[in-house]
Amino acid sequence: MITPELKKTQDLLEAHIRELQPRSNKPLWPAPYNQNTAEAGYRFVTECWWGDNTADGLVELMPTKPYVKELAYDWHDSFLNRQALLIEKSRRLIVSWICRGLETWQMGLERGDSIIIDQTYENAAEHLWRVHFGLTELRRRRPEFRLAAHRTLGSVDVHRVDDIVLPNGSTMTQGYQKPDSEQGKGKKIVTLEEVSKYRSPSAYWGQ
């Protein structure tokens, strides 16, 4: 539950982050990833987005599989039309990695704010750690991008990231409060994990 003191601290932190943000709407990604198309999003996650495959002990690009392309296209269509995209629960973490990649790609195209909400702090912060991991790998493996470093708040070493600020000023944050607390206001992207546990998910998407 968000106490008045915690809400005040959160508001002050967000205001401070905004003060540090550069003012730029220039895409972070070079061609062909700088186009707001489903194909560009698909190519970004399969050519530029590495995930940590802990089961096999490997760091891998998202695979060029038909289901990955279908997910990327459906995700982009839902984003453009401001419609909810419901993804059936999967035990494969790759779906989570793909979605974090698509969210990061979109936030890098144009400055904005996103939020991902889960039931606990640990789960929500883990999702943002995946964004941090993917961006770090992208800078290391694709130096021709000349991508400036992103900023993180939280504890990266234990996979707990509270906020990420991209070089273009976009902010990606997370929440873990009660499911009926509305936190999606003014966000470009709102992601709800474990959506079946929310009483009124449309309260987030409709803001």
Side-chain angles (χ1 to χ4, degrees):
M1 182 176 181
I2 304 179
T3 64
E5 293 78 12
L6 180 58
K7 182 63 169 61
K8 183 178 180 180
T9 301
Q10 185 179 24
D11 290 342
L12 289 172
L13 179 59
E14 290 181 356
H16 180 62
I17 290 174
R18 289 182 182 280
E19 289 176 0
L20 296 175
Q21 293 172 350
R23 307 297 180 182
S24 173
N25 273 331
K26 182 180 178 181
L28 295 177
W29 329 120
Y33 317 109
N34 59 349
Q35 301 299 311
N36 194 3
T37 65
E39 181 63 20
Y42 168 68
R43 290 191 62 178
F44 180 85
V45 296
T46 56
E47 298 174 9
C48 310
W49 197 249
W50 282 263
D52 185 15
N53 184 345
T54 54
D56 298 327
L58 300 173
V59 175
E60 301 175 312
L61 278 170
M62 299 301 101
T64 54
K65 299 286 188 180
Y67 74 88
V68 178
K69 189 167 189 174
E70 182 177 356
L71 174 56
Y73 272 64
D74 286 347
W75 187 96
H76 187 257
D77 182 68
S78 296
F79 174 80
L80 287 185
N81 290 290
R82 311 307 297 166
Q83 295 176 340
L85 175 64
L86 299 179
I87 301 175
E88 188 174 354
K89 186 176 178 64
S90 171
R91 292 296 179 185
R92 290 184 60 107
L93 280 177
I94 190 171
V95 173
S96 175
W97 281 99
I98 293 168
C99 289
R100 300 300 80 78
L102 290 169
E103 292 157 9
T104 304
W105 164 71
Q106 189 61 232
M107 299 304 290
L109 288 180
E110 187 177 19
R111 189 171 177 268
D113 302 320
S114 71
I115 186 169
I116 183 165
I117 304 167
D118 210 326
Q119 302 301 301
T120 67
Y121 168 74
E122 289 76 15
N123 290 347
E126 175 84 12
H127 285 291
L128 275 195
W129 175 83
R130 291 172 191 153
V131 173
H132 163 75
F133 182 92
L135 284 169
T136 302
E137 290 297 311
L138 174 56
R139 290 188 69 230
R140 185 171 72 86
R141 296 172 183 264
R142 299 292 300 269
E144 72 274 17
F145 275 39
R146 297 185 178 182
L147 183 64
H150 60 283
R151 296 195 294 271
T152 61
L153 293 175
S155 301
V156 172
D157 293 341
V158 292
H159 296 195
R160 302 289 182 263
V161 174
D162 300 326
D163 299 279
I164 290 178
V165 182
L166 300 185
N168 68 342
S170 290
T171 60
M172 304 178 73
T173 189
Q174 51 89 357
Y176 58 97
Q177 287 81 17
K178 285 187 175 181
D180 55 357
S181 64
E182 299 179 11
Q183 307 167 57
K185 186 175 182 179
K187 305 299 183 184
K188 187 176 180 180
I189 299 174
V190 177
T191 301
L192 305 182
E193 292 288 324
E194 303 286 350
V195 70
S196 63
K197 297 181 181 179
Y198 291 77
R199 296 179 182 176
S200 181
S202 62
Y204 295 88
W205 295 322
Q207 296 184 62

PDB file of all heavy atoms in Angstrom, residues 24-43:
ATOM      1  N   SER A  24      15.256  15.433 -26.204  1.00  0.00           N
ATOM      2  CA  SER A  24      15.523  14.989 -27.561  1.00  0.00           C
ATOM      3  C   SER A  24      14.484  13.969 -27.992  1.00  0.00           C
ATOM      4  O   SER A  24      14.152  13.062 -27.248  1.00  0.00           O
ATOM      5  CB  SER A  24      16.917  14.366 -27.659  1.00  0.00           C
ATOM      6  OG  SER A  24      17.131  13.797 -28.933  1.00  0.00           O
ATOM      7  N   ASN A  25      13.969  14.151 -29.211  1.00  0.00           N
ATOM      8  CA  ASN A  25      13.054  13.175 -29.790  1.00  0.00           C
ATOM      9  C   ASN A  25      13.694  12.432 -30.954  1.00  0.00           C
ATOM     10  O   ASN A  25      13.016  11.752 -31.712  1.00  0.00           O
ATOM     11  CB  ASN A  25      11.765  13.859 -30.262  1.00  0.00           C
ATOM     12  CG  ASN A  25      10.747  13.954 -29.128  1.00  0.00           C
ATOM     13  OD1 ASN A  25      10.733  13.112 -28.228  1.00  0.00           O
ATOM     14  ND2 ASN A  25       9.927  14.972 -29.161  1.00  0.00           N
ATOM     15  N   LYS A  26      14.995  12.603 -31.106  1.00  0.00           N
ATOM     16  CA  LYS A  26      15.703  11.879 -32.147  1.00  0.00           C
ATOM     17  C   LYS A  26      15.814  10.412 -31.763  1.00  0.00           C
ATOM     18  O   LYS A  26      16.181  10.085 -30.637  1.00  0.00           O
ATOM     19  CB  LYS A  26      17.104  12.474 -32.331  1.00  0.00           C
ATOM     20  CG  LYS A  26      17.905  11.805 -33.436  1.00  0.00           C
ATOM     21  CD  LYS A  26      19.283  12.438 -33.555  1.00  0.00           C
ATOM     22  CE  LYS A  26      20.094  11.736 -34.631  1.00  0.00           C
ATOM     23  NZ  LYS A  26      21.455  12.334 -34.756  1.00  0.00           N
ATOM     24  N   PRO A  27      15.467   9.486 -32.672  1.00  0.00           N
ATOM     25  CA  PRO A  27      15.546   8.059 -32.329  1.00  0.00           C
ATOM     26  C   PRO A  27      16.952   7.658 -31.886  1.00  0.00           C
ATOM     27  O   PRO A  27      17.947   8.153 -32.432  1.00  0.00           O
ATOM     28  CB  PRO A  27      15.168   7.363 -33.645  1.00  0.00           C
ATOM     29  CG  PRO A  27      14.344   8.364 -34.389  1.00  0.00           C
ATOM     30  CD  PRO A  27      14.937   9.704 -34.031  1.00  0.00           C
ATOM     31  N   LEU A  28      17.011   6.783 -30.907  1.00  0.00           N
ATOM     32  CA  LEU A  28      18.301   6.273 -30.446  1.00  0.00           C
ATOM     33  C   LEU A  28      18.885   5.258 -31.417  1.00  0.00           C
ATOM     34  O   LEU A  28      20.087   5.024 -31.432  1.00  0.00           O
ATOM     35  CB  LEU A  28      18.144   5.604 -29.076  1.00  0.00           C
ATOM     36  CG  LEU A  28      17.751   6.496 -27.901  1.00  0.00           C
ATOM     37  CD1 LEU A  28      17.578   5.637 -26.652  1.00  0.00           C
ATOM     38  CD2 LEU A  28      18.793   7.569 -27.670  1.00  0.00           C
ATOM     39  N   TRP A  29      18.034   4.654 -32.211  1.00  0.00           N
ATOM     40  CA  TRP A  29      18.454   3.530 -33.048  1.00  0.00           C
ATOM     41  C   TRP A  29      18.724   3.979 -34.487  1.00  0.00           C
ATOM     42  O   TRP A  29      17.976   4.779 -35.045  1.00  0.00           O
ATOM     43  CB  TRP A  29      17.390   2.430 -33.056  1.00  0.00           C
ATOM     44  CG  TRP A  29      16.601   2.332 -31.795  1.00  0.00           C
ATOM     45  CD1 TRP A  29      15.257   2.482 -31.648  1.00  0.00           C
ATOM     46  CD2 TRP A  29      17.108   2.046 -30.474  1.00  0.00           C
ATOM     47  NE1 TRP A  29      14.887   2.325 -30.341  1.00  0.00           N
ATOM     48  CE2 TRP A  29      15.987   2.050 -29.588  1.00  0.00           C
ATOM     49  CE3 TRP A  29      18.378   1.795 -29.960  1.00  0.00           C
ATOM     50  CZ2 TRP A  29      16.120   1.816 -28.231  1.00  0.00           C
ATOM     51  CZ3 TRP A  29      18.505   1.559 -28.602  1.00  0.00           C
ATOM     52  CH2 TRP A  29      17.400   1.560 -27.747  1.00  0.00           C
ATOM     53  N   PRO A  30      19.747   3.431 -35.107  1.00  0.00           N
ATOM     54  CA  PRO A  30      20.000   3.749 -36.513  1.00  0.00           C
ATOM     55  C   PRO A  30      19.046   2.959 -37.418  1.00  0.00           C
ATOM     56  O   PRO A  30      18.309   2.077 -36.953  1.00  0.00           O
ATOM     57  CB  PRO A  30      21.446   3.287 -36.711  1.00  0.00           C
ATOM     58  CG  PRO A  30      21.593   2.142 -35.751  1.00  0.00           C
ATOM     59  CD  PRO A  30      20.769   2.525 -34.551  1.00  0.00           C
ATOM     60  N   ALA A  31      19.051   3.279 -38.697  1.00  0.00           N
ATOM     61  CA  ALA A  31      18.278   2.509 -39.668  1.00  0.00           C
ATOM     62  C   ALA A  31      18.802   1.069 -39.701  1.00  0.00           C
ATOM     63  O   ALA A  31      19.998   0.838 -39.527  1.00  0.00           O
ATOM     64  CB  ALA A  31      18.388   3.158 -41.045  1.00  0.00           C
ATOM     65  N   PRO A  32      17.928   0.077 -39.858  1.00  0.00           N
ATOM     66  CA  PRO A  32      16.492   0.182 -40.163  1.00  0.00           C
ATOM     67  C   PRO A  32      15.600   0.140 -38.917  1.00  0.00           C
ATOM     68  O   PRO A  32      14.393   0.026 -39.026  1.00  0.00           O
ATOM     69  CB  PRO A  32      16.263  -1.071 -41.002  1.00  0.00           C
ATOM     70  CG  PRO A  32      17.168  -2.081 -40.355  1.00  0.00           C
ATOM     71  CD  PRO A  32      18.405  -1.317 -39.950  1.00  0.00           C
ATOM     72  N   TYR A  33      16.202   0.252 -37.733  1.00  0.00           N
ATOM     73  CA  TYR A  33      15.438   0.095 -36.491  1.00  0.00           C
ATOM     74  C   TYR A  33      14.763   1.393 -36.052  1.00  0.00           C
ATOM     75  O   TYR A  33      14.030   1.394 -35.063  1.00  0.00           O
ATOM     76  CB  TYR A  33      16.354  -0.410 -35.378  1.00  0.00           C
ATOM     77  CG  TYR A  33      17.288  -1.503 -35.820  1.00  0.00           C
ATOM     78  CD1 TYR A  33      18.653  -1.266 -35.962  1.00  0.00           C
ATOM     79  CD2 TYR A  33      16.797  -2.764 -36.137  1.00  0.00           C
ATOM     80  CE1 TYR A  33      19.514  -2.266 -36.384  1.00  0.00           C
ATOM     81  CE2 TYR A  33      17.652  -3.777 -36.559  1.00  0.00           C
ATOM     82  CZ  TYR A  33      19.007  -3.520 -36.688  1.00  0.00           C
ATOM     83  OH  TYR A  33      19.852  -4.513 -37.127  1.00  0.00           O
ATOM     84  N   ASN A  34      14.991   2.473 -36.772  1.00  0.00           N
ATOM     85  CA  ASN A  34      14.465   3.786 -36.371  1.00  0.00           C
ATOM     86  C   ASN A  34      13.094   4.083 -36.954  1.00  0.00           C
ATOM     87  O   ASN A  34      12.581   5.189 -36.805  1.00  0.00           O
ATOM     88  CB  ASN A  34      15.445   4.893 -36.781  1.00  0.00           C
ATOM     89  CG  ASN A  34      15.692   4.922 -38.283  1.00  0.00           C
ATOM     90  OD1 ASN A  34      15.306   4.005 -39.004  1.00  0.00           O
ATOM     91  ND2 ASN A  34      16.339   5.975 -38.758  1.00  0.00           N
ATOM     92  N   GLN A  35      12.491   3.101 -37.617  1.00  0.00           N
ATOM     93  CA  GLN A  35      11.152   3.272 -38.164  1.00  0.00           C
ATOM     94  C   GLN A  35      10.113   2.667 -37.227  1.00  0.00           C
ATOM     95  O   GLN A  35      10.332   1.586 -36.672  1.00  0.00           O
ATOM     96  CB  GLN A  35      11.048   2.606 -39.544  1.00  0.00           C
ATOM     97  CG  GLN A  35      12.023   3.156 -40.560  1.00  0.00           C
ATOM     98  CD  GLN A  35      11.814   4.630 -40.822  1.00  0.00           C
ATOM     99  OE1 GLN A  35      10.686   5.078 -41.062  1.00  0.00           O
ATOM    100  NE2 GLN A  35      12.892   5.408 -40.775  1.00  0.00           N
ATOM    101  N   ASN A  36       8.991   3.354 -37.061  1.00  0.00           N
ATOM    102  CA  ASN A  36       7.945   2.846 -36.166  1.00  0.00           C
ATOM    103  C   ASN A  36       7.039   1.872 -36.920  1.00  0.00           C
ATOM    104  O   ASN A  36       5.873   2.150 -37.191  1.00  0.00           O
ATOM    105  CB  ASN A  36       7.127   4.004 -35.597  1.00  0.00           C
ATOM    106  CG  ASN A  36       6.260   3.572 -34.425  1.00  0.00           C
ATOM    107  OD1 ASN A  36       6.314   2.417 -33.996  1.00  0.00           O
ATOM    108  ND2 ASN A  36       5.455   4.486 -33.912  1.00  0.00           N
ATOM    109  N   THR A  37       7.615   0.721 -37.246  1.00  0.00           N
ATOM    110  CA  THR A  37       6.891  -0.332 -37.953  1.00  0.00           C
ATOM    111  C   THR A  37       7.077  -1.654 -37.226  1.00  0.00           C
ATOM    112  O   THR A  37       8.058  -1.838 -36.489  1.00  0.00           O
ATOM    113  CB  THR A  37       7.390  -0.497 -39.399  1.00  0.00           C
ATOM    114  OG1 THR A  37       8.759  -0.961 -39.384  1.00  0.00           O
ATOM    115  CG2 THR A  37       7.302   0.826 -40.168  1.00  0.00           C
ATOM    116  N   ALA A  38       6.159  -2.563 -37.439  1.00  0.00           N
ATOM    117  CA  ALA A  38       6.248  -3.875 -36.793  1.00  0.00           C
ATOM    118  C   ALA A  38       7.508  -4.616 -37.233  1.00  0.00           C
ATOM    119  O   ALA A  38       8.151  -5.302 -36.435  1.00  0.00           O
ATOM    120  CB  ALA A  38       4.999  -4.699 -37.115  1.00  0.00           C
ATOM    121  N   GLU A  39       7.857  -4.482 -38.501  1.00  0.00           N
ATOM    122  CA  GLU A  39       9.045  -5.162 -39.007  1.00  0.00           C
ATOM    123  C   GLU A  39      10.308  -4.632 -38.338  1.00  0.00           C
ATOM    124  O   GLU A  39      11.217  -5.401 -38.004  1.00  0.00           O
ATOM    125  CB  GLU A  39       9.142  -4.988 -40.523  1.00  0.00           C
ATOM    126  CG  GLU A  39      10.342  -5.682 -41.168  1.00  0.00           C
ATOM    127  CD  GLU A  39      10.322  -7.205 -41.030  1.00  0.00           C
ATOM    128  OE1 GLU A  39       9.235  -7.771 -40.786  1.00  0.00           O
ATOM    129  OE2 GLU A  39      11.396  -7.823 -41.186  1.00  0.00           O
ATOM    130  N   ALA A  40      10.363  -3.317 -38.129  1.00  0.00           N
ATOM    131  CA  ALA A  40      11.523  -2.740 -37.454  1.00  0.00           C
ATOM    132  C   ALA A  40      11.619  -3.236 -36.012  1.00  0.00           C
ATOM    133  O   ALA A  40      12.712  -3.523 -35.514  1.00  0.00           O
ATOM    134  CB  ALA A  40      11.450  -1.212 -37.480  1.00  0.00           C
ATOM    135  N   GLY A  41      10.472  -3.357 -35.330  1.00  0.00           N
ATOM    136  CA  GLY A  41      10.471  -3.887 -33.976  1.00  0.00           C
ATOM    137  C   GLY A  41      10.925  -5.330 -33.927  1.00  0.00           C
ATOM    138  O   GLY A  41      11.699  -5.730 -33.046  1.00  0.00           O
ATOM    139  N   TYR A  42      10.437  -6.115 -34.879  1.00  0.00           N
ATOM    140  CA  TYR A  42      10.842  -7.528 -34.952  1.00  0.00           C
ATOM    141  C   TYR A  42      12.341  -7.643 -35.204  1.00  0.00           C
ATOM    142  O   TYR A  42      13.033  -8.446 -34.556  1.00  0.00           O
ATOM    143  CB  TYR A  42      10.054  -8.225 -36.060  1.00  0.00           C
ATOM    144  CG  TYR A  42      10.582  -9.589 -36.424  1.00  0.00           C
ATOM    145  CD1 TYR A  42      10.503 -10.651 -35.526  1.00  0.00           C
ATOM    146  CD2 TYR A  42      11.177  -9.815 -37.666  1.00  0.00           C
ATOM    147  CE1 TYR A  42      10.994 -11.905 -35.850  1.00  0.00           C
ATOM    148  CE2 TYR A  42      11.664 -11.065 -38.002  1.00  0.00           C
ATOM    149  CZ  TYR A  42      11.584 -12.106 -37.092  1.00  0.00           C
ATOM    150  OH  TYR A  42      12.072 -13.346 -37.424  1.00  0.00           O
ATOM    151  N   ARG A  43      12.844  -6.844 -36.119  1.00  0.00           N
ATOM    152  CA  ARG A  43      14.272  -6.895 -36.413  1.00  0.00           C
ATOM    153  C   ARG A  43      15.102  -6.418 -35.222  1.00  0.00           C
ATOM    154  O   ARG A  43      16.194  -6.944 -34.974  1.00  0.00           O
ATOM    155  CB  ARG A  43      14.583  -6.065 -37.655  1.00  0.00           C
ATOM    156  CG  ARG A  43      14.052  -6.667 -38.945  1.00  0.00           C
ATOM    157  CD  ARG A  43      14.610  -5.961 -40.167  1.00  0.00           C
ATOM    158  NE  ARG A  43      16.065  -6.079 -40.235  1.00  0.00           N
ATOM    159  CZ  ARG A  43      16.805  -5.578 -41.232  1.00  0.00           C
ATOM    160  NH1 ARG A  43      16.213  -4.909 -42.219  1.00  0.00           N
ATOM    161  NH2 ARG A  43      18.115  -5.727 -41.243  1.00  0.00           N
TER     162      ARG A  43
END
